[in-house]
Amino acid sequence: MFESFGFEETTAKEASVLLAALIGLAFGVLAQRTRFCFRRSLVGEDRRQALGVWLTALALAVIGTQAAVAAGWISFDAHRFMASEVPFLAIGIGGLLFGAGMVLTRGCISRLTVLTGGGNLRGALVVLVFAVVAHATLKGVLAPLRVALGSVTVDMGDSVSLAALPGGALVWGGLLTVAALAYALRSGNRPGQLVMAGLIGLLVPAAWVGTGFILLDEFDPIAMESLSFTSPSADTLFWTIASSSIPAGFGTGLLGGVFVGALVASLIAREFQWQSFDAPRQTGRYLTGAAMMGVGGVLAGGCTLGAGLSGVPTLSVAAIEAIVMIALGGLAMQALLSRSSAADGAASTTRQAQPAR
């Protein structure tokens, strides 16, 4: 379709960078205002409200994505989410690692990118380490691990999508949407919060349709992409280092837009504030979490946005497994940290109660 616009000096890939930047800008603003974060929806003090925001976004993402599929604008038949050979082991281990890592860093990679725009230097370091480790897992020293785990697959045939089940996409997409909205409407959020969350969700089909339909160029095809932070983080890092030899792509535009959007939103709201680490132990915890998310995001096939907010609306079984395992990894790590904190507190109380000698 891109050919019909009559562009002579701009390629589809170049146009995708601009599209991604606009989508990222909108996401950065909306995510900063809503404090959009999957970790908070699991273990945050306000997890009920946070989960309501996340599920509202998911519901609108499902509606928009499946409407675009029904209209014939896009198809996921050839997408990696629908590969018949599903690497369940890699997805499971990767999801657990990513979920545990996001609890250690107090935010998934999308949330930390937004926080970086607001002056959070902890987030900036995590994003940098995450990008390096993700690239190492994709193409570097950790690639053999990825290949080995990814070779353990199960042939799902046509059952790689919920759409293959009785009732098809309409029924299963409808059930996901109704369940998500039912919870969201009882989550205690203000209507304005849910509206902004819904707009975040609509960015998902906007990206799918933009890259898979509007910018479709049969002579110079580009990948159909949506909101994601794993591969885009690695791509952005190496584009920054070697932009003269590595052209920018959708992911680079997306991350750049998110950062600028979050920065502008935080400045307008007067919430921009430089923040850093309080102690070496905290630094080590964040670096460990960043590395775990870097490996986990690649193995799982995406982060909470790539596999979750963007992947689940495709009705892919692999994407659903990934977000479920991310949630389980996060809950397990939070339980471990709580137990460790309780043990440290008990030990401290015991020492204080001992008589002086």
Side-chain angles (χ1 to χ4, degrees), residues 37 135 156 171 181 195 242 329:
C37 180
H135 197 276
M156 296 287 291
V171 169
L181 288 179
V195 169

Side-chain angles (χ1 to χ4, degrees), residues 155-176:
D155 188 356
M156 296 287 291
D158 294 333
S159 301
V160 293
S161 170
L162 295 182
L165 298 177
L170 180 62
V171 169
W172 292 99
L175 287 174
L176 282 174

Side-chain angles (χ1 to χ4, degrees), residues 13-279:
K13 185 172 184 177
E14 291 170 342
S16 73
V17 178
L18 177 59
L19 170 67
L22 293 174
I23 290 175
L25 185 70
F27 178 84
V29 172
L30 293 168
Q32 198 277 338
R33 298 314 305 149
T34 60
R35 299 177 65 204
F36 187 80
C37 180
F38 188 69
R39 183 203 70 87
R40 282 181 54 239
S41 70
L42 291 177
V43 299
E45 294 181 358
D46 58 343
R47 53 184 172 272
R48 181 179 179 184
Q49 290 77 17
L51 183 57
V53 168
W54 203 89
L55 288 177
T56 299
L58 179 64
L60 271 294
V62 171
I63 292 172
T65 300
Q66 288 304 312
V69 171
W73 294 345
I74 58 174
S75 172
F76 294 100
D77 291 344
H79 197 275
R80 63 179 177 84
F81 281 141
M82 299 302 171
S84 60
E85 296 286 340
V86 179
F88 276 104
L89 180 61
I91 293 173
I93 293 175
L96 291 174
L97 284 173
F98 190 95
M102 76 177 182
V103 169
L104 289 176
T105 59
R106 297 188 59 81
C108 61
I109 197 63
S110 60
R111 176 59 180 165
L112 291 167
T113 303
V114 171
L115 290 176
T116 299
N120 192 311
L121 299 179
R122 297 190 299 270
L125 181 59
V126 168
V127 171
L128 177 61
V129 173
F130 171 85
V132 172
V133 176
H135 197 276
T137 308
L138 283 167
K139 302 177 182 179
V141 295
L142 295 177
L145 172 64
R146 172 182 59 79
V147 173
L149 293 175
S151 65
V152 182
T153 62
V154 175
D155 188 356
M156 296 287 291
D158 294 333
S159 301
V160 293
S161 170
L162 295 182
L165 298 177
L170 180 62
V171 169
W172 292 99
L175 287 174
L176 282 174
T177 300
V178 170
L181 288 179
Y183 184 95
L185 293 174
R186 298 184 179 184
S187 62
N189 281 293
R190 299 189 306 273
Q193 284 285 97
L194 296 183
V195 169
M196 288 190 287
L199 292 176
I200 289 176
L202 291 176
L203 294 176
V204 170
W208 287 131
V209 172
T211 56
F213 179 66
I214 296 176
L215 298 183
L216 178 63
D217 186 347
E218 296 180 355
F219 296 100
D220 187 19
I222 62 172
M224 186 169 69
E225 301 182 70
S226 189
L227 295 180
S228 177
F229 280 77
T230 303
S231 291
S233 294
D235 294 342
T236 301
L237 172 65
F238 284 89
W239 174 81
T240 303
I241 295 172
S243 60
S244 61
S245 59
I246 300 176
F250 182 88
T252 306
L254 179 68
L255 260 69
V258 171
F259 175 79
V260 173
L263 172 62
V264 171
S266 65
L267 289 173
I268 291 176
R270 297 183 178 181
E271 294 177 355
F272 183 92
Q273 181 180 2
W274 293 113
Q275 300 178 57
S276 189
F277 296 99
D278 299 324

